[in-house]
Amino acid sequence: MAPEQSIEFRYDTQLLLDKYVEEGEDPDDVADDLVDEIRDYINENFQGDSMVVAGDSGEDDYGEKAIIKLHYHTNEPWLVLAYCRGLGEIYDIVVEDMDRQSRDMHG
């Protein structure tokens, strides 16, 4: 039997973020700026890996918005969630314990 591998960054953290734009702002530009801001802030302030940050624009009953999708492996997902909540409305939040998943698969 092969030795078990430890997972350095245990929590697969995923979320969507909406930021409504002010009149005159381009939601695509806001989304692009947010992608860069989030990527830079997370790289500078949190430890983790497997980051994907993608942005798009959309519109709903409340107006035009930038939409961000974040996927990140970290040991402190609550810090990532708190940071992102400060940027806009977060939803479809998923935090999965990959270590637990791995043990369940072998177990």
Side-chain angles (χ1 to χ4, degrees), residues 8 22 26 33 41 49 58 60 63 72 77 80 85 88 93 95 99:
E8 184 177 5
E22 302 292 325
D26 182 327
D33 290 346
Y41 187 89
D49 63 11
D60 60 19
Y72 187 54
V80 175
R85 179 58 189 104
I93 299 163
V95 177
D99 185 56

Side-chain angles (χ1 to χ4, degrees), residues 1-71:
M1 176 158 52
E4 288 193 34
Q5 293 182 342
S6 102
I7 297 173
E8 184 177 5
F9 299 108
R10 182 173 182 159
Y11 297 101
D12 178 3
T13 307
Q14 303 172 49
L15 61 85
L16 292 174
L17 182 150
D18 284 351
K19 180 173 183 174
Y20 290 91
V21 299
E22 302 292 325
E23 189 170 325
E25 286 184 309
D26 182 327
D28 288 316
D29 290 344
V30 173
D32 290 344
D33 290 346
L34 269 175
V35 166
D36 292 340
E37 179 182 339
I38 291 168
R39 184 179 298 119
D40 291 347
Y41 187 89
I42 287 175
N43 278 329
E44 292 170 9
N45 294 281
F46 304 124
Q47 291 188 343
D49 63 11
S50 299
M51 181 177 13
V52 177
V53 185
D56 201 357
S57 61
E59 188 172 357
D60 60 19
D61 292 341
Y62 302 104
E64 290 187 301
K65 60 186 176 179
I67 306 164
I68 305 298
K69 167 72 176 176
L70 171 66
H71 173 268

